[in-house]
Every structure is written in structure tokens, then in C-alpha cells.
Amino acid sequence: GSMSSSKPFTRFWEWGKNIICVGRNYAEHAEEMKSTLPTEPLFFLKPSSAYVREGSPIIRPAYCTNLHHEVELGVVIGKRTQSVHQEVAMNQVAGYALCLDMTARDIQEECKRKGLPWTLAKGFNTSCPVSNFVPKEKVPDPHQLKIWLKVNGELRQEGDTSNMIFSIPYIISYISGIISLEEGDIILTGTPKGVSAVEENDEIEAGIQGVLSMRFRVAQ
């Protein structure tokens, strides 16, 4: 049936609770990070306070000297989902959004070395720039999308969602077996290769080809 939410999905970032991020879901990005390929999805959380919308800047935290962009397709959950089978997992999707997983790379590398959680590297304010909501009907196949990112007009990332290691239904099934997903939650499905540093006053532009684009300035 249709998803009758009491709250509008067009503004899911105002009320959705969870931002769940899948790491290493594109082989070439795992390779550029010198990471092994996962056998199960690797995921981590950002607080909902990480959301930032076009018109506001991405703020590089004071403790970070190497802020990286990671462009990702976000999958917005449309109804409460717990331990769903991957065959029917797409029924739980309300739509999509483009997100950036902004990463304090220097801090992340330190955390990895020390075996510490990544929260400082991944969860700071403005670490999840988010586009407008795209209803599911507008995306016939989320595994056939081109996502891209430019810094100051120069193309840095370009990837095809057909190259994901774990498919969207697999990810939804896997995560929902561990964390119950709620309406308005979003899953960031990983970034293609080409991550790089941004500096104060850089302009980031990112898009889903033929669907939407967004722009953010970086501030200190």
C-alpha cells in the first residue's frame, strides 16, 4: 500500500532520526583507501544533527586539517522496517536523496590506528549535506544512476551505482536485522573513488545525473 506518513518526506531531514552510512561499498574506493573488501556491509552512524541544507555552509571542524568529500546515494526509508528479507526490502523505500559524507580524514586515520570509533571523523555538525527528496517513482532503478562531485568546477568523483558491492535491498535487509529502521531514516550507500580534500571557501557541486544537483561552500 501507499506510505501514509504523518510527516512529509519532502522534509525528512527535519524529523528523520537515523543516518546510517555504509563504508567501502565501491571496490575502487576501498582500493584507494588501502582497505580490504568487506564480506558483510561495514556501517556506522551519524547523528541527525549532521544534516545541512543548501544555502548553509559545510563547516570544517577546528580539530580537522584534512576534510574530505564523499558523494553518496541516500535511500530514505518509508516505513518501520525490522529484519526485512531482501526480496521485499525495496517496498520499504520512500525515495532517495544525494548526500555528502564529509570526513575528517586525518582524525579517521588516527582513529583507525588506535582502534577507536569514527564518530569524531564522521559525525560532526554539517557532516551530512543533503539534497532535496526524490520520490521513489522518479527513480525506476536506483542501481542505474550516475553520481558525481566537482570541487570549484573540477570533476573529482564520478561513479555508477551499478558498481556497488552490496545492493540496496541487501543493505536494507542486513541493517534492519541489527537496527530497526524508522520512517524518515536514511541509508548512505557508499562512495565511489576520487575522494579528496577541500579547503575553506571551496565550492562543492554534486549531483545525480538527470535527477538533481546541489552546491555547498566550505567554511572554517
Side-chain angles (χ1 to χ4, degrees):
S2 72
M3 297 181 195
S4 52
S5 172
S6 49
K7 307 193 184 83
F9 282 106
T10 50
R11 306 185 70 79
F12 69 87
W13 53 84
E14 289 180 354
W15 54 272
K17 290 186 203 163
N18 295 310
I19 302 172
I20 299 145
C21 306
V22 178
R24 297 180 204 167
N25 201 25
Y26 289 80
E28 288 175 332
H29 172 63
E31 202 175 295
E32 77 180 345
M33 300 305 296
K34 300 182 169 47
S35 300
T36 53
L37 287 185
T39 53
E40 288 295 328
L42 156 79
F43 70 94
F44 57 90
L45 307 177
K46 288 180 187 267
S48 53
S49 51
Y51 280 130
V52 61
R53 293 277 295 150
E54 220 170 348
S56 297
I58 294 167
I59 312 283
R60 182 168 74 177
Y63 56 78
C64 169
T65 57
N66 188 16
L67 181 66
H68 277 207
H69 55 75
E70 300 191 0
V71 66
E72 318 213 352
L73 177 68
V75 178
V76 182
I77 300 298
K79 43 189 166 178
R80 190 160 201 282
T81 301
Q82 195 169 0
S83 302
V84 69
H85 283 284
Q86 61 173 318
E87 290 72 31
V88 291
M90 294 310 287
N91 298 340
Q92 309 301 106
V93 173
Y96 303 92
L98 190 66
C99 296
L100 305 183
D101 169 14
M102 299 305 297
T103 303
R105 191 71 74 198
D106 47 343
I107 305 298
Q108 186 189 32
E109 283 163 2
E110 205 177 304
C111 291
K112 282 180 176 178
R113 268 201 311 278
K114 294 178 177 170
L116 297 174
W118 295 1
T119 310
L120 273 175
K122 294 284 198 177
F124 53 89
N125 283 352
T126 76
S127 62
C128 190
V130 60
S131 75
N132 289 339
F133 176 72
V134 181
K136 188 180 188 170
E137 303 73 62
K138 294 229 165 95
V139 178
D141 183 357
H143 301 95
Q144 293 294 329
L145 295 173
K146 277 205 165 22
I147 57 176
W148 57 269
L149 180 144
K150 294 176 179 173
V151 178
N152 303 328
E154 181 200 341
L155 188 67
R156 297 277 178 92
Q157 288 189 272
E158 194 174 28
D160 205 301
T161 58
S162 63
N163 292 325
M164 286 182 189
I165 296 169
F166 301 110
S167 71
I168 293 167
Y170 185 88
I171 289 167
I172 292 171
S173 176
Y174 180 84
I175 292 173
S176 73
I178 301 162
I179 295 174
S180 299
L181 300 168
E182 307 279 352
E183 285 178 20
D185 287 353
I186 194 168
I187 299 174
L188 275 55
T189 56
T191 196
K193 71 171 193 291
V195 301
S196 67
V198 286
E199 305 294 339
E200 190 178 3
N201 295 324
D202 278 354
E203 186 175 65
I204 300 176
E205 191 184 0
I208 304 171
Q209 192 177 302
V211 181
L212 56 74
S213 67
M214 61 185 189
R215 278 170 196 273
F216 287 88
R217 233 169 229 300
V218 180
Q220 180 62 48

